[in-house]
Amino acid sequence: MANEDLKARAHDLDVTVWVGKGGIEPVAEELRDQLRETDLVKVKFLRASRGGTTTEELAADLAERVGADLVDTRGHTAVFH
C-alpha cells in the first residue's frame, strides 16, 4: 500500500499508544502487539518523553525497535505500519 494511502487512512485513527517519561522501551511491546492486530497504529509522544530529542528521532528509534515502518510524523504524533 502506498505511503499516501496509509497517511490518508491514519488521519481518522485515534491515538492508542502514549510514550511518556519512561521513553520508548516500556511501550515497544504494546506497539508490537497492536501492530499484530491492526496494520496502522498512532502513537503520541508526550513532552516528558522527548527530553533533548525530537519526536522524529524517537519515532524512528521506536520503529526500528519493533520492526515497523514509520508512515508519518506530525507534531508529536507518529503513525506506524
Side-chain angles (χ1 to χ4, degrees), residues 17-31 62 65:
V17 176
W18 289 264
V19 180
K21 65 182 176 186
I24 60 176
E25 186 63 39
V27 301
E29 192 61 36
E30 176 62 27
L31 177 57
L62 184 55
R65 186 173 301 244

Side-chain angles (χ1 to χ4, degrees), residues 16-72:
T16 55
V17 176
W18 289 264
V19 180
K21 65 182 176 186
I24 60 176
E25 186 63 39
V27 301
E29 192 61 36
E30 176 62 27
L31 177 57
R32 201 175 287 121
D33 290 346
Q34 287 191 28
L35 285 168
R36 280 189 205 111
E37 300 287 322
T38 183
D39 64 336
L40 285 176
V41 177
K42 196 176 271 189
V43 177
K44 176 82 172 192
F45 293 87
L46 303 175
R47 184 181 304 127
S49 72
R50 294 193 301 271
T53 188
T54 66
T55 298
E56 290 79 9
E57 289 171 325
L58 286 171
D61 288 349
L62 184 55
E64 188 176 315
R65 186 173 301 244
V66 301
D69 293 322
L70 179 58
V71 175
D72 193 22

